[in-house]
Amino acid sequence: MSLERLQLLEDEMKKCFRCSCCKMVPLPTVRSPRYSDGCPVSRVFHFHGFSGSGKQLMALSLCHGRIAVDEALARIASACAACGLCDVSCKFIMEAERHRVNMALREHIVDQGFALPAHRRMMENLEMHGSPVDGPPRWSLTDWARQAGIKVLPGEEAEVLVYTGGTECNDPGSLETARKLALLLRRAGLDVGVLGDAEPGSGLPAYWTGHREIFRRAARKNLDLIDGLGVRTLLAVSGSCLGAFRSKYPEAARPFRAETLHATEILDRLIAQGALRLPGTVARKVAYHDPCYLGRQSEPPVAWAGETRVTRNSMTYHVPPRPVNRGAGGVYDPPRRILRAIRGIEFVELYRIREYSFCCGGGGGLPQAFPEAARAAGRHRVEEARDVGAETLVTACHHCRASLTYSQEGSGGEPMPVADIIDLVFEAAGMKE
């Protein structure tokens, strides 16, 4: 079945003419030659096979039976942050689904029994205790919520459900950020709750690593659980979770019934309405890192039914025209409006922003299987923040914050602070502890 899914994308593979645009941000957006790279993995390995184009050619050869999956191919194809930069950069000049091919290729590799050992271990952990990291969670989400005075569903009822994402990254810092968000929302008058120990992981690591059925099971479990609660609004604390919910769940199963938002979207709304006031001053010069799955990977899939035709025996086109997600519809403006609303913040943009943001290296199973490549991506992004004069690098995703922080360990010099935007809002609201 996985080969059949790959073969359905053969026309997309054939569109690649090896221009290497998938390795960089589009030329008109380049503001610094040093920061023109787009693909974090291609930047490290300097070999075409690791690029989006290289993966298209491998996939096409598999479809035609010219090669078979082996350990070498699996290693190259799986060395990918699944960030989708190659996809949006390619779409700057053509309508081609690079990311879909990349993920279908990874699914075929898994189905053929060549998943990388680090990724297999992640899936064993995910199915055993809901987290891709080794060992069960180091805390009780229910106890954490009770201590913070936050409602726990389904035993209690709430209109707004905060999905912490804490079980997936097993990072206590993520729970602290979720607690701050819940307290901010409660101050603004919202009826807020969390799932506590009933909160399952989003399953996104399974999507990242090509474990299609594990991801589908995780998606259905979350959908059935949360839809059954009858909440009006589902809030993702982490950008990676928002991307899974808004973009990947509809493809794997269905969308949530509840309005599904990221924390920055609701905070931006509450600030604009005057329901959440920010009287405090946060004297800091900050740059904002756009998370891949909050940005270019959060666009909901667009349904299309039509016919693919060929002209001049080479060029394909669609009747009726096929809508294409180009990454521009992600969550970009709410975080920036929030930062500009905080007194004392001096906000500077990085060189690579919005849909052409440079990946932190924290996704795709890259930190688990290729830790040095992941750290190199994070360090490069921090260097970019330093070069634009930032004192603090701000993001809105658990995985990004962890990756950008850990990439600096052992690198020498004073590390750059990495903060979640919720932390700054909490401080500006006068709730600093």
Side-chain angles (χ1 to χ4, degrees):
M1 286 295 294
S2 61
L3 183 59
E4 292 175 9
R5 290 195 298 272
L6 199 61
Q7 289 170 333
L8 288 173
L9 295 165
E10 186 173 329
D11 285 340
E12 305 299 331
M13 305 167 199
K14 290 178 178 177
K15 293 176 184 177
C16 178
F17 54 86
R18 302 170 183 81
C19 67
S20 286
C21 285
C22 57
K23 301 172 187 174
M24 62 192 75
V25 298
L27 187 59
T29 73
V30 174
R31 296 169 54 208
S32 166
R34 184 179 180 188
Y35 300 108
S36 58
D37 292 299
C39 173
V41 174
S42 186
R43 183 178 181 276
V44 170
F45 290 105
H46 302 292
F47 187 72
H48 189 71
F50 289 91
S51 69
S53 173
K55 293 177 176 63
Q56 309 300 303
L57 301 179
M58 284 189 284
L60 187 61
S61 294
L62 285 168
C63 288
H64 290 178
R66 294 195 297 267
I67 60 174
V69 178
D70 59 17
E71 290 184 1
L73 184 147
R75 181 171 174 79
I76 294 172
S78 300
C80 173
C83 74
L85 185 281
C86 61
D87 188 76
V88 297
S89 284
C90 183
K91 284 174 178 170
F92 195 83
I93 62 171
M94 70 171 72
E95 295 182 357
E97 299 294 337
R98 299 291 169 235
H99 184 71
R100 287 184 181 274
V101 173
N102 291 349
M103 301 316 293
L105 174 60
R106 296 183 83 157
E107 290 171 8
H108 183 56
I109 289 167
V110 169
D111 285 353
Q112 293 296 298
F114 285 92
L116 300 188
H119 294 168
R120 285 199 298 268
R121 188 163 61 251
M122 289 171 66
M123 295 307 102
E124 291 168 0
N125 291 334
L126 190 65
E127 296 215 284
M128 187 180 303
H129 46 252
S131 170
V133 301
D134 291 331
R138 292 170 286 169
W139 54 76
S140 165
L141 279 174
T142 297
D143 291 347
W144 161 82
R146 297 293 186 208
Q147 291 167 7
I150 301 169
K151 289 183 177 180
V152 179
L153 284 67
E156 300 177 86
E157 294 182 355
E159 292 186 356
V160 178
L161 176 64
V162 173
Y163 183 88
T164 72
T167 57
E168 197 138 81
C169 60
N170 212 6
D171 175 11
S174 66
L175 291 183
E176 178 60 14
T177 300
R179 184 184 71 86
K180 290 178 178 178
L181 175 64
L183 295 177
L184 285 164
L185 299 177
R186 201 163 62 187
R187 171 178 280 196
L190 274 61
D191 183 21
V192 182
V194 296
L195 281 170
D197 292 332
E199 180 181 284
S202 72
L204 186 59
Y207 169 82
W208 278 339
T209 56
H211 292 80
R212 178 186 176 89
E213 289 308 314
I214 296 177
F215 177 64
R216 291 181 67 181
R217 287 199 296 272
R220 287 194 292 264
K221 181 179 180 179
N222 258 323
L223 286 160
D224 291 343
L225 173 63
I226 295 173
D227 283 349
L229 296 173
V231 297
R232 291 186 180 181
T233 306
L234 170 63
L235 290 182
V237 180
S238 178
S240 57
C241 296
L242 190 279
F245 295 162
R246 190 177 284 178
S247 175
K248 311 310 173 189
Y249 276 27
E251 291 181 328
R254 65 180 190 276
F256 282 104
R257 294 189 190 126
E259 180 185 28
T260 305
L261 301 172
H262 183 255
T264 56
E265 293 179 292
I266 193 69
L267 291 174
D268 176 49
R269 183 185 297 178
L270 293 170
I271 293 168
Q273 292 171 348
L276 181 62
R277 301 187 182 279
L278 307 178
T281 299
V282 181
R284 218 168 299 173
K285 188 175 183 180
V286 308
Y288 176 70
H289 164 76
D290 287 290
C292 303
Y293 278 70
L294 181 60
R296 56 178 169 258
Q297 288 284 6
S298 71
E299 289 183 328
V302 181
W304 174 79
E307 181 183 355
T308 300
R309 298 178 182 176
V310 180
T311 182
R312 299 191 181 278
N313 203 34
S314 60
M315 300 292 291
T316 61
Y317 65 101
H318 304 97
V319 179
R322 185 181 67 178
V324 177
N325 284 355
R326 300 181 185 274
V331 181
Y332 302 116
D333 294 322
R336 288 170 168 80
R337 283 196 292 262
I338 291 170
L339 290 173
R340 293 188 175 106
I342 298 175
R343 295 179 185 177
I345 288 283
E346 183 181 351
F347 174 52
V348 292
E349 288 280 19
L350 296 167
Y351 293 119
R352 294 164 292 188
I353 61 172
R354 302 179 76 91
E355 65 264 42
Y356 304 120
S357 174
F358 188 79
C359 178
C360 71
L366 195 69
Q368 292 79 13
F370 302 89
E372 286 308 310
R375 286 169 61 88
R379 285 196 299 269
H380 185 56
R381 192 60 160 164
V382 172
E383 289 169 5
E384 184 176 352
R386 291 189 194 281
D387 281 359
V388 298
E391 299 168 347
T392 299
L393 184 53
V394 178
T395 190
C397 175
H398 297 336
H399 290 93
C400 293
R401 182 179 60 185
S403 181
L404 293 166
T405 300
Y406 298 153
S407 69
Q408 300 181 72
E409 292 183 355
S411 59
E414 188 70 23
M416 172 171 284
V418 181
D420 193 290
I421 194 170
I422 294 170
D423 298 330
L424 301 187
V425 175
F426 194 79
E427 183 177 346
M431 300 173 71
K432 184 176 181 180
E433 299 167 330

